[in-house]
Amino acid sequence: MNKLKININDYPIFYPQPLPVRQTGLEGGCNPVKTGNICSFHSPKVPFRVPIFRYRGESGTNTVFHKKTFLLLIVSAFVFAAKAQPTIQGFSTGNPLLPGYFADPTIKKFGDWYYIYATADGVKLASGEPSVWVSRDLKNWSNYELDLQVPEGLTNCWAPDVVQGKDGRYYYFMGNCQFGCNIYGYVSDSPMGPFKPINEGKPVIPVGTAKEHLPALDAQFLVDDDGSVYSWFGTWCTSFKGMGFVKLNPENLSEIINSRFIPIAEIPLAFEAAYPLKYNGKYYLMYSAGDCRLSSYAVHYSVADKPEGPYTPGKNNPVLATNTDGTIDGPGHHSILQEGDKFYMVYHRHDNPHSTGGEFRQVCIDEMKFDAEGNILKVEAGHAGVQPLKTKNQPKNLALGAKAEASSFYHLVSRKTVYSQADYNYSYLPANAVDDNNGTLWRAASGALPQNLTLDLGKSTKIRRVATEFEYPSYYYQYKIEVSKDNKNWVVYSDKTNNRTSGCPMIDDNEMTGRYLRLTITGTQNAGMLAAVWNIRVYDKRIDLPPFANRESNVGPGTASTGSLLADFNAEKINDSAIPNTGTLGGHFEVVGELKTKTVEGIKAFELDGSNYLKLSVPAPASLDWNSAFTASVWVFNPEVAEGECLLAWNSRENMLQSSYAALMYGTAKFGAVAHGDWAVDLPYSPLPEKGKWHHIAVTFDGLLENVYVDGELNNQQPIYLFVKAADILIGASGEPNENLTGFISRAQLFDKALSPGEIKSLMQQSKPDKK
């Protein structure tokens, strides 16, 4: 047996927990407390060669290293990690409070239950399904979809708040900007819904209330001691120079009695996310400043003697802000929970590592304190969170810290973005699913299914409940759970391979005995969703669950990739009849406008004059929907480079929101390389391909990382998650006339798989047009 030993004091990284060595294919580990800072690695099965991580990005694919070079690899990885974007890993952390991507949390306590209403983040500019989280102890939470009768055409519910009216019913308010930035209201006999519209479905607080054109978003409500009801609202407050305030009729909560515009001088730097709090007879108007997508986001407050003000800026601002290492990044848009004489701030922060777009946020909780003069002290934000308020009868999680292995895991290696402090170098390890940490995730290496996660519980034990928290609580996953005593012979514990119900956690009850447990993910609601789990917990006891259930979905499941070349246009094949598609989709390319060909520098090409383009007679397949992998490749000659001209598009622009669109471009703008419907996630060239030359331009996407190549070399890249809808395949056009190409294309190809860097080089050579 070959063994390597490393003294971690010799290297700049200190790991406070065992290193995840077993995910490399080795056995052994590194625990400074138990081993005196000596780490041992060995491979009993492979005497002199050990398999290392599968890298994604510039590093290539599977690599096998000799024993001597393994030591160098480990040391290099330590040094690189010291420069990479910081992340937090640890067992049983209290923050994030919830698994999944949620923002703008409003926490409430009705009866014995805690409720968190939040914006569903991580989807199309925070456009996920409205839902609510419920808990009895602030530790164990369950997520349920809300039955909400929103106006037809609305697809998001931003920054919700819920208040109990004098009639005892529950009033849900949310913002939306699709028909103007308005606040809509709903009512139910239960805090869980179903909710029906009030005010005949018309906005309760319309855009322009308190000041012309002021967006009515991020409304928070306060029921005062005398029963009066007030609301504060607004976003882009720095541009509008203030925030809105209204007093509402408590009899119906939809009639505005009076309003006031609170000037920015009273709430310096305010951008959005008002939160009112009454404490010792004073009115505290808390709010968020900065950009919610970036590290500048922070919580401030001002104080007044009356709800409408005037307000005086408070001391200690900002009271919540990004920490020095960036692991608590962009915290804000909060609410407050009071329990006795204690106050807790519930807020969102960015995920770790930080996702592109800044709208993959997670909910956290920390205690908030006042000094003797009533000033809010700076919140000591951390990863520990707060202790559960009730822990009675909570069974032990038998999977906590268990040995975990998986069919694959994703190792993200990417250049720095505006959302990160440094380059990305992060592994979504199997061990992340058994650390009871809502901020760490096991994620498979690709969207290929099935994928499995296997736990070794250490000894044979009774298994009566398995609780699984998948990456997206609002979308369903199809899966099965098996149990084994010897890791060889498996018995089905629960079969949900036909599941169409979302939820978090997904609960599977049975009664079996075994040492090993295997979760196999076989399908997802949307195409290209990677198999991913925040936490999987195993119990030998059951406790009562909230008495609610989600309805089955009639959407999906997502279509698997064919892994093929779908569309292939070759200018050499242009003749007087139809232009054939030699890709697997078949069909032919229809010319919209005039068919023109020209030989440019000896290469025959389709000439585009800004009014003509090609459209495949067969639409793009469902295997390119949502987050599916793809590669788009074009040989192009561009005489003059404009702001953004489209080379190849294959999905819909309808209701285009952040990351709901993808098109290969050629231009100088932020969306010059790849357009995604929002500058915050668009990708430019770096550097711009030179005009007046033939170039091979390609983009690949594997479900998490987007790479742009120019002439076979990596030009730019970013981590990203997509939510697209396959549509017509267009060459030289995007559907937006001002993005039509003026130039020449000799070859265009579209795959429903991600090609590796080596495959891109080969494709460039294979598809290179012949000179005449």
Side-chain angles (χ1 to χ4, degrees):
M1 180 185 298
N2 296 293
K3 183 174 287 190
L4 301 171
K5 290 189 176 182
I6 297 174
N7 190 322
I8 66 170
N9 288 329
D10 295 336
Y11 306 106
I13 292 297
F14 176 84
Y15 282 86
Q17 65 177 78
L19 285 172
V21 177
R22 55 181 169 270
Q23 275 72 45
T24 69
L26 300 178
E27 296 178 1
C30 176
N31 190 319
V33 176
K34 295 182 179 180
T35 63
N37 294 334
I38 299 296
C39 304
S40 296
F41 310 92
H42 59 271
S43 176
K45 297 180 181 179
V46 188
F48 295 103
R49 293 157 66 88
V50 292
I52 309 301
F53 302 123
R54 183 180 184 187
Y55 284 87
R56 310 292 293 184
E58 293 182 80
S59 303
T61 54
N62 296 334
T63 308
V64 176
F65 293 85
H66 189 274
K67 162 183 167 182
K68 291 181 180 179
T69 62
F70 176 52
L71 177 61
L72 177 61
L73 176 73
I74 292 292
V75 174
S76 300
F78 279 10
V79 174
F80 186 42
K83 299 177 181 178
Q85 183 182 209
T87 57
I88 279 294
Q89 290 178 287
F91 287 98
S92 298
T93 60
N95 278 332
L97 183 62
L98 306 176
Y101 310 114
F102 294 87
D104 318 331
T106 291
I107 188 166
K108 297 289 182 177
K109 187 177 183 182
F110 299 124
D112 294 330
W113 291 90
Y114 300 95
Y115 300 81
I116 292 180
Y117 303 88
T119 302
D121 217 17
V123 182
K124 295 185 183 181
L125 196 65
S127 296
E129 296 294 325
S131 65
V132 59
W133 290 87
V134 296
S135 173
R136 285 189 181 273
D137 59 7
L138 290 183
K139 168 65 176 176
N140 298 283
W141 293 87
S142 297
N143 180 262
Y144 299 95
E145 296 176 12
L146 285 178
D147 185 349
L148 195 67
Q149 298 178 14
V150 298
E152 185 176 354
L154 294 193
T155 58
N156 49 46
C157 296
W158 288 337
D161 189 16
V162 175
V163 295
Q164 190 168 16
K166 61 184 299 184
D167 58 4
R169 296 194 294 172
Y170 300 88
Y171 290 79
Y172 176 101
F173 298 93
M174 63 83 171
N176 183 284
C177 277
Q178 289 172 273
F179 302 140
C181 293
N182 304 304
I183 300 297
Y184 298 87
Y186 305 85
V187 66
S188 174
D189 293 329
S190 164
M192 298 293 295
F195 287 95
K196 296 183 179 181
I198 62 174
N199 201 35
E200 299 179 337
K202 295 179 292 187
V204 172
I205 305 175
V207 60
T209 300
K211 184 175 183 178
E212 187 178 12
H213 305 307
L214 176 68
L217 289 178
D218 294 0
Q220 284 285 323
F221 295 76
L222 174 68
V223 180
D224 211 343
D225 302 332
D226 63 358
S228 298
V229 180
Y230 308 103
S231 179
W232 294 254
F233 58 92
T235 190
W236 301 294
C237 297
T238 47
S239 299
F240 285 89
K241 305 303 181 186
M243 183 177 290
F245 163 86
V246 296
K247 182 177 182 179
L248 295 167
N249 183 347
E251 299 296 330
N252 55 31
L253 295 179
S254 61
E255 177 188 351
I256 296 175
I257 296 175
N258 57 51
S259 65
R260 179 186 181 238
F261 183 71
I262 302 172
I264 200 75
E266 298 179 21
I267 45 173
L269 304 177
F271 186 81
E272 61 186 7
Y275 187 82
L277 175 69
K278 191 173 185 180
Y279 177 73
N280 286 348
K282 298 284 187 179
Y283 295 88
Y284 290 71
L285 177 51
M286 307 181 76
Y287 55 88
S288 293
D291 189 329
C292 68
R293 297 165 296 192
L294 302 175
S295 302
S296 59
Y297 211 51
V299 174
H300 297 240
Y301 77 101
S302 293
V303 185
D305 293 323
K306 297 184 294 185
E308 66 270 23
Y311 284 88
T312 301
K315 295 182 179 180
N316 304 316
N317 281 323
V319 293
L320 178 66
T322 296
N323 69 349
T324 54
D325 69 7
T327 57
I328 300 171
D329 187 74
H333 204 136
H334 71 290
S335 58
I336 302 295
L337 171 69
Q338 182 177 358
E339 283 284 319
D341 59 355
K342 288 192 173 184
F343 294 84
Y344 300 97
M345 182 182 288
V346 179
Y347 58 94
H348 70 233
R349 73 184 193 202
H350 296 132
D351 61 336
N352 288 309
H354 309 328
S355 296
T356 299
E359 293 189 352
F360 285 72
R361 294 162 289 189
Q362 295 195 269
V363 173
C364 299
I365 183 171
D366 281 295
E367 188 173 357
M368 186 185 79
K369 298 178 180 180
F370 295 86
D371 66 16
E373 287 74 41
N375 301 305
I376 299 177
L377 301 177
K378 286 186 178 292
V379 175
E380 297 178 2
H383 302 288
V386 300
Q387 292 298 313
L389 300 187
K390 302 173 184 177
T391 56
K392 185 179 179 180
N393 299 325
Q394 183 61 35
K396 179 182 178 181
N397 173 18
L398 303 177
L400 180 61
K403 182 179 178 180
E405 298 177 345
S407 51
S408 70
F409 68 90
Y410 200 107
H411 184 191
L412 175 63
V413 178
S414 179
R415 297 176 182 178
K416 177 182 182 294
T417 72
V418 68
Y419 305 100
S420 65
Q421 292 186 335
D423 290 345
Y424 292 84
N425 179 32
Y426 183 78
S427 295
Y428 294 89
L429 299 169
N432 291 350
V434 292
D435 60 3
D436 200 21
N437 182 341
N438 294 329
T440 62
L441 186 71
W442 164 65
R443 180 180 272 150
S446 73
L449 295 173
Q451 298 279 348
N452 62 67
L453 176 69
T454 304
L455 310 184
D456 179 355
L457 302 178
K459 64 179 182 180
S460 188
T461 185
K462 285 281 187 183
I463 300 174
R464 291 185 170 92
R465 170 167 290 171
V466 179
T468 309
E469 296 172 340
F470 293 104
E471 181 176 15
Y472 278 90
S474 299
Y475 299 125
Y476 68 75
Y477 293 74
Q478 297 177 326
Y479 62 95
K480 65 178 177 179
I481 298 172
E482 299 166 287
V483 171
S484 173
K485 293 181 179 180
D486 57 8
N487 204 19
K488 296 178 181 178
N489 301 292
W490 295 90
V491 179
V492 175
Y493 178 90
S494 178
D495 187 343
K496 288 189 176 175
T497 53
N498 292 316
N499 175 55
R500 286 177 172 267
T501 303
S502 66
C504 186
M506 292 297 294
I507 299 295
D508 291 280
D509 289 345
N510 204 331
E511 188 160 330
M512 289 187 178
T513 299
R515 172 174 172 172
Y516 301 93
L517 184 141
R518 182 168 66 193
L519 168 70
T520 302
I521 300 172
T522 60
T524 56
Q525 179 171 327
N526 299 307
M529 289 175 61
L530 276 64
V533 173
W534 296 106
N535 299 288
I536 183 168
R537 300 183 177 94
V538 178
Y539 301 106
D540 60 2
K541 298 178 181 177
R542 301 173 193 162
I543 61 172
D544 291 338
L545 297 169
F548 312 107
N550 286 335
R551 294 175 297 184
E552 284 195 354
S553 172
N554 58 7
V555 176
T559 301
S561 167
T562 66
S564 66
L565 171 59
L566 301 171
D568 189 359
F569 162 76
N570 189 340
E572 291 287 346
K573 298 183 182 298
I574 294 178
N575 51 46
D576 293 335
S577 59
I579 305 171
N581 170 32
T582 57
T584 59
L585 277 181
H588 62 275
F589 293 98
E590 301 169 349
V591 180
V592 179
E594 184 180 357
L595 173 61
K596 298 180 180 180
T597 61
K598 187 174 183 179
T599 299
V600 180
E601 295 187 350
I603 294 173
K604 183 179 180 181
F606 175 51
E607 181 180 0
L608 299 110
D609 60 11
S611 64
N612 60 339
Y613 58 92
L614 299 176
K615 175 183 175 182
L616 186 61
S617 61
V618 181
S623 62
L624 286 174
D625 276 347
W626 207 250
N627 194 54
S628 295
F630 63 80
T631 297
S633 164
V634 174
W635 276 97
V636 59
F637 184 99
N638 202 350
E640 295 292 335
V641 182
E643 182 180 54
E645 295 179 325
C646 186
L647 302 180
L648 185 57
W650 58 94
N651 46 79
S652 173
R653 298 176 67 96
E654 185 178 353
N655 193 26
M656 189 165 64
L657 295 168
Q658 186 182 93
S659 300
S660 67
Y661 180 68
L664 180 60
M665 309 290 287
Y666 190 168
T668 61
K670 178 70 168 61
F671 61 93
V674 189
H676 288 305
D678 188 324
W679 71 267
V681 292
D682 291 335
L683 190 64
Y685 286 104
S686 181
L688 181 71
E690 189 176 351
K691 68 179 182 179
K693 288 187 175 182
W694 279 105
H695 293 290
H696 179 253
I697 297 177
V699 56
T700 67
F701 175 67
D702 65 4
L704 191 60
L705 183 65
E706 184 173 71
N707 294 308
V708 172
Y709 298 89
V710 176
D711 299 329
E713 300 298 326
L714 183 68
N715 177 275
N716 207 352
Q717 63 182 173
Q718 67 176 358
I720 193 171
Y721 217 94
L722 297 178
F723 320 101
V724 306
K725 177 64 177 174
D728 291 329
I729 296 176
L730 306 177
I731 297 175
S734 68
E736 185 67 33
N738 63 7
E739 292 177 353
N740 286 3
L741 177 67
T742 302
F744 305 89
I745 289 178
S746 66
R747 192 78 179 265
Q749 297 169 297
L750 179 64
F751 303 75
D752 64 348
K753 65 177 180 177
L755 300 186
S756 69
E759 290 172 324
I760 288 294
K761 286 183 178 291
S762 296
L763 178 66
M764 180 183 70
Q765 294 301 322
Q766 294 166 7
S767 63
K768 187 175 182 178
D770 295 327
K771 287 190 175 182
K772 302 299 182 184

